[in-house]
Amino acid sequence: MAPRKIIIDTDPGQDDAVAILLALASPEDIDLLGITAVAGNVPLPLTEKNARIVCELAGRPDVRVFAGCDAPLARKLVTAEHVHGKTGLDGPQLDAPTMPLQDQHAVDFIIETLRSEPAGTVTLVPVGPLTNIATAFQRAPDIIGRVQEIVLMGGAYFEVGNITPTAEFNIYVDPEAAKIVFGAGAPLVVMPLDVTHKALTTKPRIDAFRALGTKVGDMVAAWTDFFERFDMEKYGSEGAPLHDPCTIAYLVRPELFAGRLINVEIETGSDLTLGMTVADWWRITDRPKNALFMKDIDAAGFYALLADRLARL
Ligand code: RIB
Ligand code: CA
């Protein structure tokens, strides 16, 4: 089968970095058309720089990286340096990138790509706030019907929130954008905290990255070592959830995941529950089933895939 053409929309973020590496390590499954950076974990100047750092780490300075929106549609930017550190990729010492940032705005790249590629052949993989995607849909509604699938990391239901008691970070940062994307009608696969919190780094799993004996393996181990302290303190878990790589792993090995096609709506009116993904898991309402909402993962298979593919870089 031909590799899947994708655009990764991202706010690196250590876990975003691992998602990008997994995509670049899987050319038989993934044709990465470009990376679009968005403000999220850290401000845009850092997320676009971090995306280029990761491409160079993978030995792929040819990948096109675009800078997108530097603030949510209708709110002040909320960032997550408390999780990812000041640079967004804290942990190891990193050299500044030398590969260029593309001049074109990320939103224009998304629109142009969806209009120029055959309809139904491009998958969008947002792993940060949905500002770029929503802006593209608002500016060019004709592209929505041309999207093959949106496979995003965001939201939570049974796991509840990680940035507020009810909201997951990517959705919370730009709930208006999320409402647009979840209501657009494009086929949608959601990797919420309900599934990513079952994909925890553990010492043996991080040791497996270090045992690769490569710069990529060492970097991923250092990133996860840094990144996991937040979740371990907050949840008392034995490791950190590798959120964003779940999206790429789904594209490579969908059988690692299980979920339900259900209705998911976004709270944008209540300050108390702003950004909550209201998932009708028990199908109580007759609202349209707009999302394949994942709940289970073969975590051992996920980490085996990661170690196996990252060894290639
Ligand atoms: O809530 C987890 C999500 O927020 C991940 O995408 C992480 O990178 C941060 O963006
Ligand atoms: Ca992210």
Side-chain angles (χ1 to χ4, degrees):
M1 195 147 90
R4 189 102 170 230
K5 288 185 277 188
I6 75 168
I7 295 172
I8 297 178
D9 190 69
T10 178
D11 63 337
Q14 290 87 350
D15 59 321
D16 304 66
V18 180
I20 294 167
L21 291 172
L22 179 58
L24 291 174
S26 307
E28 69 269 49
D29 302 299
I30 303 283
D31 176 5
L32 181 56
L33 301 179
I35 295 176
T36 51
V38 67
N41 285 320
V42 287
L44 181 68
L46 285 173
T47 58
E48 64 85 355
K49 174 185 172 189
N50 292 343
R52 291 187 286 144
I53 286 173
V54 177
C55 289
E56 290 188 337
L57 171 64
R60 291 294 308 279
D62 59 297
V63 173
R64 292 184 295 166
V65 175
F66 302 82
C69 300
D70 62 3
L73 294 182
R75 296 175 184 277
K76 247 172 73 52
L77 177 64
V78 171
T79 52
E81 285 89 350
H82 62 291
V83 180
H84 300 275
K86 211 167 158 12
T87 69
L89 286 181
D90 280 25
Q93 200 50 47
L94 297 165
D95 298 331
T98 55
M99 66 182 274
L101 176 71
Q102 299 299 310
D103 294 336
Q104 189 178 29
H105 191 283
V107 171
D108 295 328
F109 169 71
I110 292 167
I111 294 169
E112 187 182 277
T113 303
L114 280 164
R115 281 178 173 161
S116 58
E117 294 289 339
T121 66
V122 177
T123 293
L124 301 178
V125 185
V127 289
L130 291 163
T131 317
N132 285 342
I133 310 299
T135 304
F137 285 1
Q138 281 183 313
R139 209 181 288 170
D142 60 289
I143 67 172
I144 297 172
R146 301 179 64 85
V147 174
Q148 178 177 16
E149 197 169 46
I150 301 171
V151 182
L152 69 83
M153 190 279 140
Y157 187 59
F158 296 100
E159 198 63 15
V160 292
N162 61 359
I163 188 76
T164 75
T166 56
E168 177 279 328
F169 179 79
N170 287 341
I171 308 299
Y172 177 73
V173 168
D174 199 341
E176 285 74 19
K179 191 176 184 72
I180 290 167
V181 173
F182 277 68
L188 181 59
V189 178
V190 179
M191 293 288 167
L193 298 181
D194 304 67
V195 72
T196 68
H197 279 193
K198 294 173 184 169
L200 295 179
T201 58
T202 59
K203 189 173 178 327
R205 288 168 177 169
I206 294 178
D207 289 348
F209 294 141
R210 206 167 265 117
L212 295 177
T214 63
K215 188 169 182 204
V216 166
D218 291 345
M219 285 290 169
V220 170
W223 279 329
T224 43
D225 267 341
F226 178 87
F227 172 71
E228 71 178 10
R229 80 210 185 296
F230 168 77
D231 288 85
M232 290 170 80
E233 275 160 34
K234 175 170 180 169
Y235 295 101
S237 53
E238 62 165 317
L242 266 187
H243 307 285
D244 296 342
C246 289
T247 57
I248 304 298
Y250 172 79
L251 292 174
V252 174
R253 288 193 54 201
E255 70 277 9
L256 290 174
F257 299 88
R260 274 188 194 176
L261 184 63
I262 60 170
N263 173 264
V264 181
E265 302 291 340
I266 310 296
E267 176 60 71
T268 55
S270 151
D271 288 340
L272 183 63
T273 57
L274 183 70
M276 180 176 183
T277 44
V278 181
D280 186 5
W281 183 263
W282 304 113
R283 295 176 175 140
I284 295 166
T285 75
D286 58 0
R287 292 195 290 250
K289 296 178 177 62
N290 58 332
L292 179 55
F293 198 78
M294 292 301 182
K295 190 166 183 283
D296 289 300
I297 180 174
D298 168 357
F302 171 68
Y303 276 92
L305 173 69
L306 266 179
D308 175 61
R309 292 291 168 100
L310 294 180
R312 297 176 172 185
L313 298 176

